């Protein structure tokens, strides 16, 4: 009886497992990228981590369904935008075209994504468990100041480098990519201000509690 009472709800068990798995997978993305860069150069990073990254990012589609099913209370538009934009980058930009996948910006994009997601998913796990270390809260709500511009800038530059090949492949696709590039400044501003609000709420709020 005591064991059954101590068990966490299935929802919590599932979210702990999902977030822990995601943190480990993104650690693999960041770790592989860091190892490959000095060993084979940025031109060959995609060959070593590209497929792994595509499927790791594709797993994040589940987060859209988590919100729709009521498992999470995150912003649906923000989550959908982030997931769709990254799926586009790994499958629609870097997978079919050589220029972006062979550029240094592909590596910096993966590093920004990797570190961001390691912090985010680890924070989610400890939040559900109810034991979040202070350093993890600090990382979650401070590293974005550098990582968000680094990630968004790298994403935009990967799309920019794909323009030539995209135009040769299909002119409509070229203009789709141009249109996406135009959305980056307001998109980054929206994400940045959202995280600043979250930082104020989570870090300053905890200081007041003390």
């Amino acid at each position: 009886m005591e064991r059954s009472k101590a068990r966490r709800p299935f929802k919590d068990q599932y979210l702990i497992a999902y977030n822990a798995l995601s943190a480990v997978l993104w650690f693999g993305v960041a770790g592989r990228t860091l190892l490959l860069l000095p060993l084979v150069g940025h031109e060959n990073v995609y060959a070593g981590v590209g497929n792994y990254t595509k499927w790791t990012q594709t797993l994040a589609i589940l987060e859209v369904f988590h919100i729709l099913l009521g498992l999470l209370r995150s912003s649906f538009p923000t989550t959908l935008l982030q997931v769709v934009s990254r799926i586009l980058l790994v499958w629609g930009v870097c997978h079919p075209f050589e220029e972006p996948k062979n550029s240094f910006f592909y590596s910096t994009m993966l590093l920004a994504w990797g570190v961001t997601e390691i912090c985010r998913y680890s924070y989610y796990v400890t939040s559900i468990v109810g034991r979040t270390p202070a350093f993890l809260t600090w990382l979650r709500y401070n590293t974005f100041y550098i990582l968000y511009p680094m990630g968004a800038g790298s994403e935009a530059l990967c799309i920019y480098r794909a323009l030539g090949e995209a135009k040769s492949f299909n002119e409509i696709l070229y203009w789709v990519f141009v249109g996406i590039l135009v959305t980056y400044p307001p998109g980054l501003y929206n994400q940045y201000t959202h995280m600043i609000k979250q930082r104020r709420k989570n870090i300053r709020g905890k200081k007041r509690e003390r």
Side-chain angles (χ1 to χ4, degrees), residues 26-42 45-46 48-50 52-53 104 106-112 114:
W26 280 106
F27 184 84
V29 171
R32 285 189 185 192
T33 303
L34 282 173
L35 287 173
L36 289 168
L37 269 172
L39 291 175
V40 300
H42 66 264
V45 166
Y46 184 88
V49 75
Y52 179 90
T53 301
F104 180 69
Y106 178 74
S107 297
T108 55
M109 179 179 75
L110 295 194
L111 289 174

Side-chain angles (χ1 to χ4, degrees), residues 93 155-164 181:
V93 176
E155 292 170 23
L157 287 165
C158 281
I159 296 172
Y160 176 77
R161 289 181 68 92
L163 289 178
L181 283 174

Side-chain angles (χ1 to χ4, degrees), residues 88 92-93 97 159 162-163 166 172-181:
L88 170 70
V93 176
F97 301 120
I159 296 172
L163 289 178
I172 294 176
L173 182 61
Y174 167 82
W175 287 109
V176 168
F177 282 1
V178 170
I180 291 171
L181 283 174

Side-chain angles (χ1 to χ4, degrees), residues 113-127:
W113 286 4
V115 176
T116 297
E117 300 298 44
I118 292 167
C119 295
R120 182 168 74 96
Y121 287 118
S122 299
Y123 178 82
Y124 288 163
V125 170
T126 57
S127 295

Side-chain angles (χ1 to χ4, degrees), residues 41-210:
H42 66 264
E43 302 91 346
N44 299 300
V45 166
Y46 184 88
V49 75
N51 285 328
Y52 179 90
T53 301
K54 282 186 295 189
W55 292 110
T56 296
Q57 181 55 57
T58 301
L59 182 66
I61 291 174
L62 289 175
E63 293 178 30
V64 175
F65 293 98
H66 291 167
I67 297 172
L68 291 174
L69 294 172
L71 297 177
L72 293 177
R73 291 182 293 175
S74 301
S75 167
F76 179 75
T78 300
T79 301
L80 181 64
L81 177 63
Q82 183 178 41
V83 171
V84 170
S85 65
R86 286 195 180 183
I87 292 293
L88 170 70
L89 275 153
V90 295
W91 287 104
V93 176
C94 296
H95 173 70
F97 301 120
E98 295 299 318
E99 282 293 319
K101 73 174 67 170
N102 293 333
S103 73
F104 180 69
F105 305 114
Y106 178 74
S107 297
T108 55
M109 179 179 75
L110 295 194
L111 289 174
W113 286 4
V115 176
T116 297
E117 300 298 44
I118 292 167
C119 295
R120 182 168 74 96
Y121 287 118
S122 299
Y123 178 82
Y124 288 163
V125 170
T126 57
S127 295
I128 298 169
V129 172
R131 297 177 181 176
T132 304
F135 81 90
L136 195 52
T137 301
W138 188 91
L139 288 173
R140 167 68 177 136
Y141 293 107
N142 284 280
T143 53
F144 77 91
Y145 281 114
I146 295 173
L147 295 176
Y148 272 33
M150 176 180 168
S154 298
E155 292 170 23
L157 287 165
C158 281
I159 296 172
Y160 176 77
R161 289 181 68 92
L163 289 178
E165 290 177 272
K167 192 169 187 178
S168 298
F169 176 74
N170 186 301
E171 192 159 349
I172 294 176
L173 182 61
Y174 167 82
W175 287 109
V176 168
F177 282 1
V178 170
I180 291 171
L181 283 174
V182 172
T183 69
Y184 261 82
L188 176 60
Y189 174 80
N190 179 62
Q191 291 277 58
Y192 216 63
T193 53
H194 171 73
M195 281 303 297
I196 289 172
K197 289 176 184 176
Q198 291 297 310
R199 181 184 186 279
R200 190 179 300 120
K201 176 183 174 183
N202 286 275
I203 291 186
R204 292 186 181 178
K206 288 182 179 180
K207 284 182 179 178
R208 284 172 189 163
E209 288 176 8
R210 292 175 188 172

